[in-house]
Amino acid sequence: MKVVDSILDLIGNTPMVKLTKVAEKGIAEVYAKCEYMNPSGSLKDRIALEMIREAETEGKLKPGYSIIEASTGNTGTAISFIGAYLGYKVAIFMPEGMTPERIKLIESYGAEIHQIKLESSSEEKSVAGAEVEIGTRLKCLKLERSQPNTWWARQFSNAANVKAHIKTGREILEQMGGKVDAFVASIGVGGTLYGVAKALKEQIPTARIIGVEPASANYPISEGFSKIPGASDDVTGGIIEEMMKSGLVEEVVKVTNSDAITMSDRLVREEGLFCGISSGANVYQALKVAKELGEGKRVVTVLPDSRDRYLSEKKYTT
Ligand SMILES: Cc1ncc(COP(=O)(O)O)c(C=O)c1O
């Protein structure tokens, strides 16, 4: 068994599990990378560490500085965890209406939390967070401009986010022995899909890269990337825009919350994978792709976060 000097050494290198219960016979093999097994419970530990380390190297983040970030939960938790470990003050700006568990998780790591009233009418909150984060990003922008010794991580446009997930992609290649026919991942700010796509396409140009978004998204990427009206370049676009222009993503498909939740319940109950709702969306779509590809092929997806942050949602209390 591995012994490490720091909890930060346990970020990444997550296990990969073959899905045997939810995948029927006669379709491609489906593998799920257990990102919820990162120390703070999501794949955002990877980007938080990469962004913080890079900012330190570039001299943008120094001892005594505060770190701020806009997040619907997972990035906020990850930054709170790593920031506290490294001795930084952290303040997280979160849209109102997120589950109390997410707030408690962030507070557990000792960070300040500010809940911001949603401008957007979007009901999307369970898969990922891009568009509902705009109001919170505006707060960060104002603070960054007005407060000295403050570093805004800017996950939605920070190149270190993509860099972190190029490493995720390389881990996938290693775990799969270089054989991957398709990769499926939900899009929040796009770092996972774009980073993994870059790594996979470099080795396997024929690999199909498929993005997933909530069917309820107000500005669907699947209908052509469009900027959110009224939002400036300082708070929108970023990685998603670059990814959609790169041509690496073959398709972005919509998955309903109901299909995502049903599949995430099956993953917990049948496969023993204690994962959240976007994991359900990812696997729902991965199974569809596996049917299309047929036996002998391999589809890989990720389980982005842990079920622990959704436990109080009504649908899990019955
Ligand atoms: C639960 C969950 N799943 C998936 C994603 C998508 O990740 P990314 O932001 O890398 O696109 C996020 C990120 O916002 C998330 O919080």
Side-chain angles (χ1 to χ4, degrees):
M1 293 277 283
K2 174 161 89 164
V3 177
V4 294
D5 290 334
S6 157
I7 185 74
L8 303 186
D9 296 331
L10 296 180
I11 295 172
N13 289 312
T14 49
M16 184 79 86
V17 178
K18 184 176 175 184
L19 301 182
T20 53
K21 306 270 186 88
V22 297
E24 60 202 70
K25 300 254 174 304
I27 67 171
E29 293 173 344
V30 178
Y31 291 85
K33 193 158 169 63
C34 299
E35 289 300 303
Y36 70 91
M37 291 172 81
N38 277 295
S40 87
S42 87
L43 40 59
K44 298 293 185 174
D45 282 355
R46 294 175 181 270
I47 71 161
L49 183 62
E50 194 81 36
M51 294 189 300
I52 288 173
R53 287 301 192 207
E54 196 155 295
E56 286 175 332
T57 305
E58 289 172 355
K60 293 178 185 162
L61 177 63
K62 298 179 184 164
Y65 275 41
S66 295
I67 304 176
I68 58 170
E69 182 59 309
S71 165
T72 52
N74 285 326
T75 305
T77 306
I79 288 184
S80 302
F81 146 52
I82 298 168
Y85 183 82
L86 295 174
Y88 295 106
K89 268 194 253 151
V90 177
I92 302 300
F93 294 80
M94 194 189 255
E96 268 184 355
M98 299 294 122
T99 57
E101 294 88 327
R102 302 193 202 191
I103 294 156
K104 284 184 182 148
L105 278 167
I106 291 171
E107 285 174 346
S108 302
Y109 286 111
E112 253 177 48
I113 182 144
H114 301 269
Q115 291 185 70
I116 309 297
K117 210 172 164 50
L118 275 182
E119 302 285 332
S120 162
S121 62
S122 170
E123 287 175 4
E124 185 280 301
K125 47 180 185 168
S126 53
V127 172
E131 85 192 42
V132 295
E133 278 177 16
I134 297 299
T136 54
R137 288 182 200 165
L138 278 168
K139 290 273 174 204
C140 289
L141 184 66
K142 272 190 199 147
L143 258 183
E144 184 191 50
R145 288 179 177 165
S146 62
Q147 301 279 324
N149 303 343
T150 298
W151 174 71
W152 175 20
R154 262 194 182 79
Q155 60 159 336
F156 71 97
S157 64
N158 190 326
N161 178 345
V162 181
K163 199 169 147 195
H165 284 300
I166 291 176
K167 292 179 190 165
T168 313
R170 291 194 182 131
E171 285 174 27
I172 291 171
L173 280 166
E174 196 189 323
Q175 286 170 308
M176 294 288 98
K179 179 169 165 41
V180 178
D181 298 291
F183 176 72
V184 178
S186 50
I187 301 169
V189 297
T192 312
L193 191 67
Y194 193 29
V196 172
K198 280 187 166 209
L200 293 187
K201 286 287 204 182
E202 199 181 279
Q203 297 278 313
I204 314 167
T206 53
R208 294 178 59 188
I209 308 292
I210 295 138
V212 170
E213 69 177 351
S216 59
N218 276 351
Y219 306 102
I221 304 167
S222 54
E223 289 167 23
F225 176 78
S226 61
K227 293 213 172 143
I228 295 170
S232 79
D233 279 356
D234 287 327
V235 291
T236 189
I239 294 167
I240 291 180
E241 187 171 4
E242 190 186 317
M243 173 174 77
M244 296 319 290
K245 283 182 181 157
S246 75
L248 294 179
V249 178
E250 176 185 302
E251 197 185 2
V252 177
V253 294
K254 294 178 179 210
V255 172
T256 63
N257 275 355
S258 148
D259 286 334
I261 290 163
T262 305
M263 183 54 73
S264 73
D265 285 347
R266 290 192 63 195
L267 290 169
V268 177
R269 291 167 199 175
E270 297 176 39
E271 301 274 0
L273 298 161
F274 197 63
C275 56
I277 302 170
S278 68
S279 303
N282 286 354
V283 171
Y284 178 87
Q285 188 56 37
L287 289 170
K288 269 194 169 175
V289 175
K291 271 185 205 149
E292 277 167 38
L293 291 179
E295 237 168 335
K297 303 282 184 186
R298 249 181 202 179
V299 182
V300 176
T301 190
V302 287
L303 307 178
D305 70 353
S306 165
R307 173 62 64 103
D308 60 8
R309 49 219 66 198
Y310 304 94
L311 290 176
S312 74
E313 285 206 357
K314 216 164 154 212
K315 45 216 163 246
Y316 297 121
T317 56
T318 51

